[in-house]
Amino acid sequence: MNIILDMGNVLLEWNKDKILQGVSDTKEEYFILDKAIFQSGLWERLDLGTMTREELVLKVVLMIGRTYQKKVEEVIWNWSSYIDIYTEVFPVLSELKKKGHRIFVLSNTSKVFYDLLEEQLSPLKELLDGFVLSCDIKAIKPDLAMFKEILDKYQLDPTNCVFLDDIEDNTIAAEKLGIKAHQVKKRSDVVDILKSYI
C-alpha cells in the first residue's frame, strides 16, 4: 500500500491563529499581520511557488510598514516553531514502513518543507519514499494535477493508494482518481487511520 500524507494538520499542526498570537504583542498587530500575510492571497502565492519567502517579506513590509519587519519575518520564516509537530505519527509510520508500505507526502506548501524535513520533521526523512509539493509544480490541491503528478512521478497505482488530508475538497479530488481517501477531522484521527493499515 502507498500511504500519501498531507502535511498541515496531518504531520503537523497548521493554525495561523496560534502563529499570529505567538508573534503579535497586541490584538491590533494580530489583525494587521493576518490581513497582510494570510488574507491578502500572498501566502497562496508562496505555496504556488510564484513568490519566494524573501519576496513575500518585502511585499508585506511595503504594505504595512517597516515597523513590522521583524514580526513579518518571524511569521514567514519561523512559523513552524509556534505550532505542534505530530510526533506520535512517526512511530506508526515506521511500523507501516516495516510492513512494506511506502510513504509519500503531497502538500500545498512552500519551500519551507525542505527546512522542516531537516529540522522538526527529521524522523520522517528516513521513512519517506517521495513527495510532491505545490510550490515545485505550480499547482495546488484540490487541483487534480497535484494527484496526477505523484501517481506519475512514482508510478503509483491509484487503487493501491491511501490519502490523508484535513480538507474535504482534497479528499474528494483524490477519490475522483480512484485513490482511497480519509479526511482528518482531529489530531487523533491520523494515528487511528494509519493504524488500520498496519
Side-chain angles (χ1 to χ4, degrees):
M1 187 70 77
N2 302 300
I3 315 276
I4 305 173
L5 306 165
D6 172 34
M7 185 167 70
N9 296 325
V10 175
L11 292 169
L12 51 77
E13 177 185 25
W14 172 250
N15 181 340
K16 73 175 176 106
D17 295 330
K18 202 166 161 183
I19 298 161
L20 289 166
Q21 280 159 7
V23 174
S24 309
D25 296 320
T26 62
K27 266 253 186 312
E28 188 196 7
E29 224 167 57
Y30 172 103
F31 289 121
I32 289 168
L33 292 169
D34 188 27
K35 196 168 175 222
I37 298 170
F38 296 110
Q39 293 181 32
S40 58
L42 293 174
W43 191 267
E44 283 78 4
R45 288 183 59 187
L46 205 57
D47 286 350
L48 251 183
T50 57
M51 184 179 263
T52 65
R53 284 178 281 178
E54 291 85 354
E55 288 166 343
L56 180 55
V57 169
L58 285 173
K59 208 161 180 62
V60 172
V61 169
L62 269 175
M63 281 162 57
I64 61 175
R66 270 216 179 304
T67 44
Y68 294 100
Q69 180 143 357
K70 284 261 180 294
K71 307 262 180 190
V72 171
E73 286 170 351
E74 187 64 15
V75 172
I76 291 165
W77 288 94
N78 297 325
W79 61 263
S80 59
S81 55
Y82 292 88
I83 47 91
D84 286 344
I85 302 293
Y86 293 179
T87 48
E88 70 276 13
V89 176
F90 301 139
V92 187
L93 291 176
S94 188
E95 267 311 288
L96 286 160
K97 188 89 178 165
K98 281 183 198 135
K99 291 269 188 342
H101 298 299
R102 296 170 77 205
I103 298 177
F104 300 90
V105 163
L106 182 68
S107 179
N108 289 345
T109 184
S110 69
K111 301 256 184 248
V112 71
F113 178 79
Y114 295 101
D115 303 334
L116 287 167
L117 211 48
E118 296 301 324
E119 294 155 17
Q120 289 108 310
L121 292 177
S122 59
L124 189 64
K125 207 175 168 183
E126 298 84 83
L127 303 171
L128 267 190
D129 290 283
F131 54 82
V132 166
L133 312 177
S134 58
C135 65
D136 290 338
I137 69 158
K138 310 284 189 283
I140 277 188
K141 291 177 294 183
D143 189 330
L144 291 183
M146 281 283 281
F147 299 93
K148 288 176 178 165
E149 177 73 17
I150 202 160
L151 295 174
D152 294 345
K153 187 174 177 183
Y154 299 105
Q155 302 289 290
L156 307 178
D157 171 0
T159 60
N160 198 28
C161 292
V162 171
F163 174 59
L164 277 69
D165 198 296
D166 61 321
I167 295 168
E168 191 179 21
D169 284 350
N170 298 343
T171 57
I172 290 167
E175 284 168 345
K176 282 182 186 156
L177 294 175
I179 298 167
K180 184 169 174 49
H182 298 271
Q183 186 186 0
V184 171
K185 293 181 177 169
K186 58 184 190 300
R187 180 169 176 166
S188 59
D189 287 352
V190 185
V191 165
D192 292 344
I193 295 163
L194 290 174
K195 278 188 168 165
S196 70
Y197 289 98
I198 291 175

